Amino acid sequence: MSRRLIAALAAACLLMPAPAAAARRDAPVTPRQLMRHIEMLASDGFEGRAPATEGERRTIAYISDQLRRRGVGPGAAGASWYQPVDLIERRPLSHEARWSAGGRALAFDSERITLVGTQPVQRIDDAPVVFAGHGLVDPVRGVDQLAGADLRGAVALILVEAPDVPGFPSYADRERAVARAGAAAVIGIVADDVSWDAVVRAAAASDTVLASRPPVSGAIQAGEVARLVARAGGDFASLLNEQSGPAFRAVPLNLTAGFEIATEVRRYTSNNVVGRIAGTGGGGESVLLLGHWDHLGLCRPEGEADRICNGAVDNASGIALLIEIAGRLVRRRPVRDVIILATTSEEVGLLGAEHFAVEPTVPLSSIVAAVNFDTVAIHGRGEPVAVIGRGLEPLDRAIAETAAALGRRMDTTYAADAFIRRQDGWALTRAGVPAVMVGGSFANMDALQDFLSGAYHGPDDEAGPDIPLDGAAEDGDLMVALVRRLADPARYRPPPR
Ligand SMILES: [Zn+2]
């Protein structure tokens, strides 16, 4: 064979698509595939997917079954698909608070504190009172405001308002840290310029919380604390001046507290569904894909024609996308693991995602990125790609380059970030995991507002031909390509954290 012929053959080979490359392409996600899942999850038989109902049982069985059929393995403890999430729905009924200093009772109006428990009746007698600054425990920054303090059985007072420091833990996280140290009650100190009426009104409403919250929580104004401390011979203002520094340590106040609290309590357990696609690399790192499975259940009073909030767009659509993306990833496993998390109780405050952040199935530090899928069926093909949670490098660049490779334009505004606290990714962002939501749904604000002021959270969010799935399918292809990149250590290296 002549050299020229060899050269010509080599050139021809370069022009022909290699068979391997064809096999390496992922099958496009189709609207039909998504609709099948949405029709099932949003059918009346699933009763609107309320946590701890027959609707939950059907929903989590469907998701785990669909993942299993596609070759995804279980990802929760004990090789289970389900991570139990213990929850409390509660409403404060009444409370009484007494304070004393050196055995002397101090006059106090119980209306000047809010208290709510986790049991129907709770009593705290003569508990030492500790001022714990912000309740800040941050091993990464080497800060532990609780170090050296004995908080067991104590009533801990912590500042609600956080300094404007990026990554400063949320109040819920700080409250949890203080409770973990053994406090019987964690009371948030609110600034005097916050309307006390508004605090009382907010506290009177029923809410749903993780059962891992402190046994008793509440709120009190700073001025009220200052008066109590002064009558015990102390000076709260000087303590406040020390509180912001990392060197601040929790200090016992010369006070004891007694509380009696009655709370209406309903305890129940729901479940996150956790799947795992084992990567080929075994490096212990993973990409987390999540979306909430729960919705509002029976949301209209008896007697109304349609009582079920089916949650087709919110968020059967996101779960449909999760299932289809997972199936494609399994066919050609990425190097890093991929965790698939279908969360419960997003609708009552991102609680399933918060539980995962508190009790992760893998160390949070090993998750290189998290991508949330919520309300993804709003738009048609060709929308720009919006990112909720922009501003994280090299994640931004990975998203932009993947979108460009698929011929998608980026939405370079920050309009989508208006929703950052209203989606499960926020629970992970708060815990230090780089988390984003990516796609066309949050680029077309007119279409999104139409949905939010229309079918959203009502019985009309139902499966049907009106739901646009072209855009969701197009986003699905983008997400498969993006996750392949994020799950490849040669193509995506997260910054150390
Ligand atoms: Zn919702």
Side-chain angles (χ1 to χ4, degrees):
M1 214 183 287
S2 78
R3 256 165 210 266
R4 271 180 71 177
L5 186 56
I6 291 170
L9 280 172
C13 284
L14 285 175
L15 294 174
M16 278 192 299
R24 291 171 83 81
R25 236 176 275 133
D26 293 293
V29 175
T30 68
R32 216 184 125 80
Q33 290 165 336
L34 299 177
M35 187 48 92
R36 270 211 312 267
H37 301 303
I38 294 171
E39 277 174 347
M40 181 63 79
L41 291 163
S43 62
D44 282 354
F46 283 64
E47 296 175 353
R49 304 190 305 278
T53 65
E54 173 64 16
E56 161 163 356
R57 197 192 60 73
R58 286 189 177 204
T59 303
I60 65 176
Y62 179 80
I63 296 168
S64 55
D65 184 55
Q66 290 293 318
L67 292 173
R68 183 192 298 114
R69 287 194 206 179
R70 284 165 174 76
V72 178
S80 168
W81 284 95
Y82 307 124
Q83 178 184 46
V85 181
D86 294 327
L87 296 152
I88 299 175
E89 185 186 344
R90 64 183 182 177
R91 188 169 65 88
L93 296 176
S94 65
H95 68 267
E96 202 78 51
R98 293 176 305 276
W99 305 86
S100 54
R104 188 165 44 87
L106 306 177
F108 182 79
D109 177 358
S110 290
E111 306 279 297
R112 303 302 300 172
I113 189 170
T114 71
L115 292 169
V116 62
T118 49
Q119 305 283 346
V121 180
Q122 280 158 288
R123 207 190 150 96
I124 294 173
D125 284 314
D126 296 328
V129 180
V130 177
F131 174 56
H134 281 102
L136 183 60
V137 180
D138 186 347
V140 177
R141 293 189 180 83
V143 180
D144 184 355
Q145 295 188 329
L146 310 182
D150 186 3
L151 285 160
R152 284 168 304 171
V155 168
L157 306 177
I158 66 171
L159 298 165
V160 172
E161 211 171 319
D164 195 10
V165 174
F168 201 85
S170 69
Y171 182 72
D173 288 345
R174 292 183 278 124
E175 190 194 49
R176 189 177 293 111
V178 177
R180 219 180 267 136
V186 184
I187 311 299
I189 302 173
V190 296
D192 290 326
D193 57 6
V194 174
S195 154
W196 183 243
D197 282 350
V199 173
V200 169
R201 260 199 314 278
S206 73
D207 68 347
T208 303
V209 296
L210 292 179
S212 57
R213 288 285 284 269
V216 170
S217 33
I220 189 169
Q221 268 181 325
E224 213 59 60
V225 177
R227 270 188 289 281
L228 289 168
V229 172
R231 273 179 282 160
D235 178 6
F236 188 56
S238 67
L239 283 177
L240 270 185
N241 288 332
E242 294 169 39
Q243 53 78 21
S244 55
F248 175 84
R249 291 286 177 273
V251 284
L253 302 174
N254 185 24
L255 286 168
T256 57
F259 299 153
E260 269 168 59
I261 303 145
T263 310
E264 189 180 296
V265 172
R266 180 172 77 95
R267 285 176 172 267
Y268 61 98
T269 299
S270 183
N271 295 276
N272 288 333
V273 182
V274 192
R276 175 171 170 265
I277 301 170
T280 57
E285 289 181 323
S286 53
V287 176
L288 172 65
L289 308 184
L290 70 158
H292 74 91
W293 63 253
D294 69 303
H295 198 58
L296 306 173
L298 292 177
C299 61
R300 291 291 183 269
E302 234 171 296
E304 288 208 14
D306 187 358
R307 300 183 58 205
I308 303 175
C309 280
N310 302 80
V313 172
D314 178 15
N315 181 36
S317 68
I319 295 295
L321 212 42
L322 265 188
I323 292 169
E324 290 302 324
I325 291 167
R328 280 154 182 81
L329 295 171
V330 167
R331 263 174 244 147
R332 184 159 52 83
R333 285 173 189 270
V335 179
R336 291 184 172 121
D337 290 358
V338 177
I339 311 287
I340 311 288
L341 171 66
T343 60
T344 181
S345 302
E346 185 271 353
E347 300 287 6
V348 289
L350 321 182
L351 295 182
E354 185 183 341
H355 179 77
F356 183 88
V358 176
E359 307 270 348
T361 58
V362 296
L364 291 184
S365 59
S366 69
I367 300 175
V368 300
V371 185
N372 186 32
F373 297 82
D374 195 349
T375 309
V376 299
I378 294 290
H379 59 299
R381 291 182 79 88
E383 289 290 347
V385 177
V387 180
I388 294 181
R390 268 177 70 195
L392 300 165
E393 289 294 358
L395 195 47
D396 281 3
R397 196 170 65 243
I399 296 165
E401 289 178 1
T402 309
L406 294 180
R408 301 277 306 267
R409 281 175 303 132
M410 292 301 294
D411 174 350
T412 52
T413 71
Y414 282 88
D417 264 343
F419 294 89
I420 193 164
R421 289 164 190 261
R422 286 175 62 179
Q423 48 92 37
D424 267 345
W426 182 245
L428 291 146
T429 301
R430 272 189 331 215
V433 178
V436 286
M437 242 174 84
V438 182
S441 271
F442 291 80
N444 188 336
M445 284 297 161
D446 289 341
L448 184 61
Q449 287 305 341
D450 278 353
F451 172 69
L452 292 177
S453 56
Y456 175 69
H457 283 191
D460 291 342
D461 181 10
E462 291 181 306
D466 294 347
I467 297 180
L469 290 170
D470 290 4
E474 188 185 29
D475 285 348
D477 297 339
L478 171 64
M479 290 299 99
V480 173
L482 176 64
V483 176
R484 289 211 177 283
R485 175 166 174 163
L486 299 179
D488 182 351
R491 292 198 294 154
Y492 186 73
R493 269 178 215 286
R497 55 172 212 267

